[in-house]
Amino acid sequence: MTMTLANAYDGFKRMFHLEAKQPPAPEPLTRKPLPMVGLFSKLTSEQKAFVLNYKGSENIGGSEFKLKAE
């Protein structure tokens, strides 16, 4: 008889979620840095140094394609 009551009580607890769940782990305040995946990350060290030291014109394309200021 006590076994049947214990089984019924266990079923009741599971059905109505009376058992305390563990809280989820807290999220870290600072994320780990993600690896670089852009074009700059694919360059060699010589290419990166050249790009960072470039002092020439940054215009791309012909002057006929420039937007006109209104």
Side-chain angles (χ1 to χ4, degrees):
M1 178 72 176
T2 56
M3 195 61 165
T4 306
L5 289 175
N7 287 341
Y9 181 67
D10 287 340
F12 179 78
K13 283 195 308 189
R14 277 182 279 154
M15 186 167 47
F16 292 104
H17 305 289
L18 297 179
E19 297 174 352
K21 287 184 178 179
Q22 289 285 16
E27 295 181 16
L29 296 178
T30 55
R31 259 187 359 186
K32 294 179 185 173
L34 298 174
M36 291 180 63
V37 294
L39 175 65
F40 192 75
S41 69
K42 307 271 190 229
L43 299 177
T44 64
S45 57
E46 296 88 21
Q47 291 170 328
K48 287 179 185 178
F50 177 79
V51 169
L52 292 174
N53 295 325
Y54 182 72
K55 301 292 186 219
S57 173
E58 295 182 6
N59 295 331
I60 298 174
S63 59
E64 64 270 11
F65 298 112
K66 288 185 179 178
L67 295 175
K68 310 284 192 282
E70 294 182 46

